[in-house]
Amino acid sequence: ATLVLPTAIRLHRYPMTMITILWVTWTLFRPVGTLYEVNVSLCLVALCPRTLVRMNDLICIVALAALVIPALLFVVLHWMWLQVGNGEANFLFFQALAYNILVLVLLWQFVAATVARDKANCLTEKQQKHQLLQMQQEPATATHKDGG
Protein backbone atom coordinates (compact mmCIF):
# COMPACT_ATOMS: atom_id res chain seq x y z
CA ALA A 1 0.00 0.00 0.00
CA THR A 2 2.97 2.30 0.58
CA LEU A 3 3.96 2.24 -3.09
CA VAL A 4 0.52 1.79 -4.65
CA LEU A 5 -1.16 4.93 -3.34
CA PRO A 6 1.53 7.47 -4.39
CA THR A 7 1.84 5.76 -7.78
CA ALA A 8 -1.93 5.86 -8.27
CA ILE A 9 -2.13 9.52 -7.29
CA ARG A 10 0.75 10.64 -9.51
CA LEU A 11 -0.04 8.50 -12.56
CA HIS A 12 -3.84 8.40 -12.54
CA ARG A 13 -3.89 9.62 -16.15
CA TYR A 14 -1.70 6.74 -17.37
CA PRO A 15 -3.31 3.46 -16.26
CA MET A 16 -1.17 1.15 -18.44
CA THR A 17 2.01 2.78 -17.21
CA MET A 18 0.81 2.52 -13.62
CA ILE A 19 0.05 -1.19 -14.07
CA THR A 20 3.52 -1.72 -15.54
CA ILE A 21 5.28 0.06 -12.68
CA LEU A 22 3.31 -1.85 -10.06
CA TRP A 23 3.91 -5.17 -11.81
CA VAL A 24 7.68 -4.62 -11.97
CA THR A 25 7.68 -3.50 -8.33
CA TRP A 26 5.78 -6.65 -7.39
CA THR A 27 8.34 -8.66 -9.37
CA LEU A 28 11.19 -7.10 -7.38
CA PHE A 29 9.60 -7.79 -4.01
CA ARG A 30 8.74 -11.42 -4.67
CA PRO A 31 10.81 -13.85 -2.61
CA VAL A 32 11.56 -16.00 -5.64
CA GLY A 33 12.34 -14.18 -8.86
CA THR A 34 11.58 -15.92 -12.12
CA LEU A 35 12.23 -15.00 -15.71
CA TYR A 36 8.50 -15.23 -16.37
CA GLU A 37 7.83 -12.01 -14.46
CA VAL A 38 10.62 -10.15 -16.21
CA ASN A 39 9.30 -11.30 -19.59
CA VAL A 40 5.83 -10.05 -18.72
CA SER A 41 7.36 -6.81 -17.42
CA LEU A 42 9.23 -6.21 -20.67
CA CYS A 43 6.05 -6.90 -22.64
CA LEU A 44 4.16 -4.38 -20.49
CA VAL A 45 6.93 -1.82 -21.01
CA ALA A 46 6.61 -2.35 -24.76
CA LEU A 47 2.92 -1.43 -24.47
CA CYS A 48 3.90 2.08 -23.31
CA PRO A 49 5.74 3.46 -26.37
CA ARG A 50 5.48 7.15 -25.37
CA THR A 51 7.29 6.40 -22.13
CA LEU A 52 9.68 3.97 -23.78
CA VAL A 53 10.92 6.70 -26.13
CA ARG A 54 11.98 8.89 -23.20
CA MET A 55 14.09 6.19 -21.51
CA ASN A 56 17.88 6.52 -21.56
CA ASP A 57 19.00 4.15 -24.32
CA LEU A 58 22.52 3.40 -23.11
CA ILE A 59 21.57 2.56 -19.54
CA CYS A 60 18.67 0.34 -20.66
CA ILE A 61 20.72 -1.53 -23.26
CA VAL A 62 23.51 -2.20 -20.75
CA ALA A 63 21.01 -3.36 -18.11
CA LEU A 64 19.19 -5.64 -20.56
CA ALA A 65 22.44 -7.10 -21.87
CA ALA A 66 23.77 -7.63 -18.37
CA LEU A 67 20.49 -9.20 -17.20
CA VAL A 68 21.33 -12.30 -19.20
CA ILE A 69 24.50 -12.99 -17.18
CA PRO A 70 22.97 -13.39 -13.70
CA ALA A 71 20.04 -15.31 -15.19
CA LEU A 72 22.32 -17.87 -16.85
CA LEU A 73 24.66 -18.10 -13.86
CA PHE A 74 21.68 -18.57 -11.55
CA VAL A 75 20.48 -21.53 -13.65
CA VAL A 76 23.96 -23.08 -13.68
CA LEU A 77 24.42 -22.64 -9.94
CA HIS A 78 20.98 -24.06 -9.23
CA TRP A 79 21.95 -27.20 -11.16
CA MET A 80 25.35 -27.38 -9.44
CA TRP A 81 23.84 -26.97 -6.00
CA LEU A 82 20.96 -29.43 -6.33
CA GLN A 83 22.36 -32.04 -8.73
CA VAL A 84 26.12 -32.06 -8.31
CA GLY A 85 26.19 -30.82 -4.71
CA ASN A 86 29.08 -28.36 -4.92
CA GLY A 87 27.31 -24.99 -5.20
CA GLU A 88 27.77 -22.08 -2.83
CA ALA A 89 24.95 -20.07 -1.21
CA ASN A 90 26.83 -16.76 -1.41
CA PHE A 91 27.20 -17.13 -5.17
CA LEU A 92 23.46 -17.76 -5.46
CA PHE A 93 22.72 -14.74 -3.28
CA PHE A 94 24.88 -12.40 -5.34
CA GLN A 95 23.42 -13.62 -8.62
CA ALA A 96 19.93 -12.92 -7.28
CA LEU A 97 21.13 -9.53 -6.02
CA ALA A 98 22.62 -8.60 -9.41
CA TYR A 99 19.42 -9.74 -11.15
CA ASN A 100 17.25 -7.59 -8.86
CA ILE A 101 19.53 -4.56 -9.21
CA LEU A 102 19.39 -4.75 -13.01
CA VAL A 103 15.59 -5.03 -12.95
CA LEU A 104 15.52 -2.09 -10.54
CA VAL A 105 17.64 -0.02 -12.94
CA LEU A 106 15.14 -0.73 -15.72
CA LEU A 107 12.25 0.19 -13.42
CA TRP A 108 14.03 3.37 -12.38
CA GLN A 109 14.51 4.40 -16.01
CA PHE A 110 10.86 3.64 -16.78
CA VAL A 111 9.59 5.67 -13.81
CA ALA A 112 11.90 8.58 -14.66
CA ALA A 113 10.68 8.55 -18.26
CA THR A 114 7.06 8.41 -17.09
CA VAL A 115 7.52 11.39 -14.79
CA ALA A 116 9.23 13.31 -17.61
CA ARG A 117 6.31 12.46 -19.89
CA ASP A 118 3.80 13.62 -17.28
CA LYS A 119 5.72 16.85 -16.75
CA ALA A 120 5.86 17.53 -20.49
CA ASN A 121 2.12 16.88 -20.81
CA CYS A 122 1.33 19.20 -17.88
CA LEU A 123 3.49 21.98 -19.33
CA THR A 124 1.84 21.54 -22.73
CA GLU A 125 -1.63 21.73 -21.19
CA LYS A 126 -0.70 24.91 -19.29
CA GLN A 127 0.71 26.46 -22.44
CA GLN A 128 -2.43 25.58 -24.41
CA LYS A 129 -4.67 27.04 -21.69
CA HIS A 130 -2.57 30.21 -21.65
CA GLN A 131 -2.80 30.55 -25.46
CA LEU A 132 -6.55 29.95 -25.37
CA LEU A 133 -6.94 32.60 -22.67
CA GLN A 134 -4.90 35.07 -24.75
CA MET A 135 -7.02 34.33 -27.82
CA GLN A 136 -10.20 34.96 -25.81
CA GLN A 137 -8.88 38.25 -24.44
CA GLU A 138 -7.60 39.49 -27.81
CA PRO A 139 -11.05 40.28 -29.34
CA ALA A 140 -12.05 42.12 -26.18
CA THR A 141 -9.02 44.43 -26.40
CA ALA A 142 -9.63 44.99 -30.13
CA THR A 143 -13.21 46.16 -29.48
CA HIS A 144 -12.01 48.59 -26.79
CA LYS A 145 -9.52 50.14 -29.22
CA ASP A 146 -12.14 50.50 -31.97
CA GLY A 147 -14.80 51.84 -29.67
CA GLY A 148 -12.58 54.33 -27.80
Side-chain angles (χ1 to χ4, degrees):
T2 306
L3 295 172
V4 173
L5 190 61
T7 305
I9 290 171
R10 174 67 189 218
L11 303 174
H12 68 278
R13 295 189 290 174
Y14 312 109
M16 190 64 205
T17 304
M18 184 173 50
I19 290 170
T20 303
I21 290 171
L22 293 176
W23 176 270
V24 177
T25 305
W26 177 73
T27 300
L28 284 171
F29 286 121
R30 283 184 48 112
V32 178
T34 63
L35 292 177
Y36 164 75
E37 283 106 13
V38 173
N39 288 336
V40 172
S41 300
L42 292 176
C43 291
L44 288 173
V45 166
L47 291 175
C48 304
R50 292 185 184 120
T51 302
L52 192 62
V53 168
R54 287 183 171 83
M55 291 174 71
N56 189 342
D57 294 338
L58 182 63
I59 294 173
C60 292
I61 289 171
V62 168
L64 281 173
L67 192 62
V68 175
I69 296 168
L72 290 175
L73 289 176
F74 189 82
V75 170
V76 169
L77 179 70
H78 187 269
W79 173 79
M80 285 177 60
W81 196 356
L82 295 180
Q83 300 296 326
V84 181
N86 65 354
E88 185 181 347
N90 288 335
F91 189 75
L92 183 68
F93 170 76
F94 285 111
Q95 293 311 312
L97 182 66
Y99 172 82
N100 282 336
I101 287 173
L102 292 170
V103 172
L104 182 65
V105 166
L106 291 172
L107 175 66
W108 168 57
Q109 285 294 312
F110 189 77
V111 170
T114 301
V115 170
R117 173 185 171 201
D118 186 44
K119 183 179 178 181
N121 284 343
C122 287
L123 288 174
T124 303
E125 287 175 7
K126 284 182 183 178
Q127 204 172 36
Q128 288 174 348
K129 285 180 185 178
H130 183 67
Q131 288 175 351
L132 182 64
L133 185 63
Q134 281 183 342
M135 289 174 62
Q136 289 175 351
Q137 289 176 354
E138 223 171 66
T141 57
T143 56
H144 288 298
K145 288 180 183 177
D146 292 339

